[in-house]
């Protein structure tokens, strides 16, 4: 039963032609990395990225498997459910191609795919969305706020230089490392994600203090004494207290399931109404 479950949707667990496939060239790996840009082109809720994943591998699989039945068997397995981060997916595809070239068992290749989907997703989110994107966006936005037309250009260049360098570099590294990289990735996944998350949270904290502007002109009167709520009270307690409080409120609402689009609308209405009534 376990064997049947592990080899579902495929004709056999072993390839008919057990001779190792031809060595993939740098061009083959580069083509694979380039095709990975369309990983999510056929995204669906049944198999997630399976169509784009197979599209990424097809040229190399055709070069490796000369036997039509072996190629069919491999393609059936790679059309099964897969969901991995779209930016570091080339590490997994390079690793899988190394195993395909060695004619490993189909169930073994599937097990590696399943085992690495989660770790690569965590590393990709921490590295790209929580670290690289805020840093590049912060630099680009800072230039744009100063009136520079190069703000968005710098943002796109910085982000995509790192993105494409990692995409193509991980493809070659995954293929060259082969199965040896699996143990290393599992060992260092938590450390890499934790370090990247710390850097990302630090950057986001700095962006909140720099780009979220919220203050109040209200003046409290007690007899003849006048106290400016912002400068004499809030700033004395902690500078940028209102932006921090508003950011934490929005974060709390998102954790409660509030729609980001609705929160953006509420923020706009809050700002306009607050300015009209003199609160902001």
């Amino acid at each position: 039963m376990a064997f049947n479950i592990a080899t579902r949707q495929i004709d056999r667990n072993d390839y008919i032609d057990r001779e190792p496939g031809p060595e993939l060239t740098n061009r083959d790996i580069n083509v694979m990395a380039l095709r990975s840009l369309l990983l999510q082109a056929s995204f669906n809720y049944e198999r997630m990225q399976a169509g784009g994943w197979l599209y990424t591998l097809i040229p190399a699989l055709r070069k490796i498997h000369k036997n039509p039945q072996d190629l069919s068997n491999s393609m059936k397995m790679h059309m099964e459910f897969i969901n991995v981060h779209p930016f570091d997916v080339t590490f997994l595809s390079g690793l899988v191609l190394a195993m395909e070239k060695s004619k490993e068992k189909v169930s073994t290749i599937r097990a590696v795919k399943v085992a690495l989907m989660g770790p690569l997703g965590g590393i990709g989110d921490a590295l790209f969305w929580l670290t690289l994107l805020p840093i590049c966006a912060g630099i680009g936005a800072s230039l744009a706020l100063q009136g520079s037309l190069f703000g968005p250009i710098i943002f796109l260049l910085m982000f995509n230089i790192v993105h494409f360098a990692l995409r193509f570099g991980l493809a070659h590294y995954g293929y060259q490392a082969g199965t040896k990289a699996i143990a290393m990735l599992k060992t260092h996944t938590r450390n890499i994600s934790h370090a990247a998350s710390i850097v990302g949270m630090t950057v986001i904290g700095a962006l909140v203090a720099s780009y979220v502007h919220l203050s109040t002109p209200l003046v409290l009167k007690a007899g003849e004494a006048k106290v400016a709520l912002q400068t004499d009270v809030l700033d004395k307690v902690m500078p940028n207290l209102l932006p921090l409080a508003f950011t934490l409120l929005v974060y709390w609402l998102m954790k409660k399931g509030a729609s980001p689009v609705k929160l953006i609308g509420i923020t706009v209405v809050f700002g306009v109404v607050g300015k009209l009534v003199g609160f902001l």
Side-chain angles (χ1 to χ4, degrees), residues 5-271:
I5 293 175
T7 57
R8 63 191 183 280
Q9 298 183 7
I10 60 175
D11 299 325
R12 51 187 297 140
N13 193 36
D14 292 309
Y15 288 119
I16 298 173
D17 182 3
R18 300 302 305 278
E19 290 294 323
E23 192 70 33
L24 297 180
T25 64
N26 288 335
R27 182 182 181 279
D28 295 328
I29 302 301
N30 289 334
V31 168
M32 177 267 290
L34 189 62
R35 291 169 72 98
S36 71
L37 292 169
L38 297 176
L39 177 70
Q40 303 197 101
S42 61
F43 186 93
N44 61 82
Y45 289 104
E46 178 185 3
R47 304 189 184 195
M48 292 293 183
Q49 302 161 331
W53 167 260
L54 180 58
Y55 174 79
T56 299
L57 301 180
I58 278 179
L61 291 178
R62 285 176 172 164
K63 183 174 181 178
I64 291 171
H65 297 296
K66 301 301 183 182
N67 186 295
Q69 295 183 32
D70 286 344
L71 178 60
S72 173
N73 205 34
S74 176
M75 292 175 65
K76 285 182 179 179
M77 185 269 291
H78 287 302
M79 271 302 292
E80 295 173 1
F81 176 95
I82 184 171
N83 187 28
V84 67
H85 197 280
F87 285 3
D88 60 11
V89 65
T90 51
F91 174 81
L92 180 56
S93 53
L95 183 61
V96 164
L97 288 180
M99 299 180 71
E100 290 278 8
K101 184 181 76 70
S102 300
K103 302 297 178 70
E104 299 287 344
K105 291 181 180 294
V106 176
S107 57
T108 303
I109 299 174
R110 177 192 289 119
V112 170
K113 286 172 53 182
V114 173
L116 292 186
M117 281 192 294
L120 287 176
I123 291 175
D125 288 341
L127 182 61
F128 289 100
W129 303 146
L130 297 180
T131 305
L132 179 62
L133 184 61
I135 292 174
C136 297
I139 295 173
S142 179
L143 291 173
L145 288 174
Q146 296 174 20
S148 174
L149 295 176
F150 289 99
I153 297 175
I154 293 297
F155 161 64
L156 292 173
L157 284 177
M158 289 180 59
F159 184 83
N160 284 295
I161 286 173
V162 178
H163 161 217
F164 279 96
L166 285 175
R167 183 180 290 270
F168 283 83
L170 287 174
H172 288 275
Y173 178 73
Y175 178 72
Q176 296 298 331
T179 55
K180 295 179 182 178
I182 298 175
M184 184 201 70
L185 183 67
K186 289 183 176 180
T187 302
H188 298 289
T189 292
R190 182 174 298 179
N191 295 334
I192 295 173
S193 297
H194 183 63
S197 296
I198 291 175
V199 175
M201 291 298 103
T202 303
V203 172
I204 291 175
L207 290 177
V208 169
S210 301
Y211 294 107
V212 180
H213 299 289
L214 184 63
S215 61
T216 177
L218 292 179
V219 177
L220 303 179
K221 297 180 179 180
E224 296 184 357
K226 296 182 179 180
V227 178
L229 181 60
Q230 182 67 51
T231 57
D232 296 335
V233 179
L234 297 178
D235 288 347
K236 296 292 179 62
V237 175
M238 189 180 76
N240 294 319
L241 179 60
L242 284 180
L244 175 63
F246 186 75
T247 301
L248 292 177
L249 174 63
V250 171
Y251 176 74
W252 178 76
L253 291 173
M254 291 185 67
K255 295 288 286 186
K256 290 294 184 179
S259 167
V261 177
K262 290 182 180 179
L263 291 176
I264 292 173
I266 292 172
T267 301
V268 173
V269 173
F270 175 69

